[in-house]
Amino acid sequence: MNNPDQRQSWSPDTYQENARFVSDLGNAVLNWLSPQAGERILDLGCGDGALTKRIAQAGVDVTGVDTSDELLSAARAQGLDVRWMDGHNLSFDHEFDAVFSNAALHWMLKPGEVVDGVRQALKPGGRFIGEFGGHGNVSTIITAMRAAARIHGGNEELAGPWFYPTTEEYRDLLTGRGFDVRRISLIPRPTPLRTGIRGWLMTFRKPFFEQYDESVQPAILDEVESLLAHTLRDKSDNWTADYVRLRFEARLGK
Ligand code: BEZ
């Protein structure tokens, strides 16, 4: 998260409350990883270590990296081997059987640098398995924030600074950097937001709201919520976000 617009501080409690679903929904990509006892695996963007721990439980020697000190502390408290490292500047040397990443790659806005570091981290024949936001991810939410910025004056770019590629774009990126892409798909995944849209917005898009004076932030939140209610809230007041996942498996030659 090098871009200043991306700087966020993640409180483990807020994350636990509003974003626990991120790791809860990680089963499919973990199945694609299929970790084997004795392997050495890098978890890129490990967050608070919820999935890192599950990989470790398969008998794997797993290392996690992330750029949030708060979430790394939560991971360390579970006894996991994690360290602070920017995904754009991975400094591993052909030491992992696999690199795994869930719900993190869309935060890294120079994906070529990330993939170069992943290739450098892998042993010959190693695999890169991941899932992150794909083209169209949370597009309704981004559009509502952009609309609020137009109505109230503000920087629309702060609404959605993420990398959400199409499968073609990401396949080309991986292939151009020496990977053989075995599987890649975009998967719409409507995602229930147990704590509603406000919690999601303030957990994941704080910088957008913090561009406004504190006294008007609640009105901007109200505006975004009311724009979104028509499409994302049902008659029983349940909120569902329009997530789209890009899941892939890529391998290096031996
Ligand atoms: C995602 O996992 O797709 C995501 C998470 C936080 C903000 C935006 C998207």
Side-chain angles (χ1 to χ4, degrees):
M1 293 178 211
N2 288 335
N3 181 331
D5 297 346
Q6 292 282 85
R7 240 178 267 131
Q8 299 213 60
S9 77
W10 303 92
S11 135
D13 290 342
T14 313
Y15 192 84
Q16 175 70 28
E17 173 74 1
N18 294 300
R20 175 48 56 226
F21 66 86
V22 173
S23 55
D24 287 349
L25 295 171
N27 282 335
V29 68
L30 264 187
N31 285 340
W32 279 32
L33 176 67
S34 183
Q36 304 297 312
E39 284 189 316
R40 184 137 195 259
I41 294 182
L42 173 66
D43 184 355
L44 170 55
C46 63
D48 66 2
L51 293 182
T52 324
K53 190 169 180 184
R54 288 175 60 190
I55 296 169
Q57 283 164 347
V60 166
D61 176 7
V62 60
T63 297
V65 295
D66 206 285
T67 54
S68 161
D69 290 323
E70 296 93 335
L71 295 181
L72 286 169
S73 295
R76 266 186 213 109
Q78 304 185 69
L80 295 164
D81 168 26
V82 295
R83 59 188 87 158
W84 194 100
M85 198 181 287
D86 183 344
H88 297 95
N89 286 299
L90 295 175
S91 60
F92 297 105
D93 189 20
H94 306 297
E95 51 200 283
F96 293 101
D97 298 290
V99 174
F100 171 79
S101 186
N102 181 56
L105 295 171
H106 49 253
W107 293 101
M108 302 172 202
L109 302 184
K110 294 179 192 148
E113 293 177 13
V114 176
V115 174
D116 284 342
V118 169
R119 190 186 56 214
Q120 173 80 15
L122 284 168
K123 296 176 186 171
R127 61 200 193 281
F128 181 25
I129 311 285
E131 181 172 313
F132 64 108
H135 187 68
N137 193 43
V138 295
S139 56
T140 310
I141 301 177
I142 293 170
T143 303
M145 281 189 276
R146 295 188 83 104
R150 283 197 191 181
I151 295 165
H152 295 279
N155 181 358
E156 284 182 43
E157 297 307 316
L158 291 175
W162 299 291
F163 168 60
Y164 293 149
T166 61
T167 51
E168 292 75 14
E169 191 183 345
Y170 205 60
R171 177 192 291 279
D172 286 352
L173 188 85
L174 290 166
T175 306
R177 284 173 158 77
F179 283 92
D180 175 21
V181 178
R182 303 284 174 91
R183 302 186 263 185
I184 187 164
S185 46
L186 269 188
I187 305 145
R189 193 198 66 198
T191 301
L193 301 179
R194 198 175 45 79
T195 55
I197 194 69
R198 292 176 89 93
W200 190 96
L201 290 168
M202 290 315 283
T203 302
F204 292 122
R205 219 46 240 139
K206 227 179 186 173
F208 175 81
F209 296 95
E210 286 179 345
Q211 69 176 308
Y212 298 100
D213 191 84
E214 231 173 280
S215 61
V216 298
Q217 283 178 23
I220 305 289
L221 254 175
D222 286 346
E223 184 85 69
V224 175
E225 183 177 43
S226 103
L227 284 164
L228 287 170
H230 298 282
T231 39
L232 300 186
R233 190 177 68 192
D234 70 17
K235 290 193 173 64
S236 309
D237 272 351
N238 300 308
W239 286 86
T240 303
D242 54 337
Y243 275 58
V244 178
R245 303 287 86 189
L246 188 153
R247 191 180 304 148
F248 65 92
E249 172 186 354
R251 294 199 179 238
L252 287 180
K254 299 228 184 223

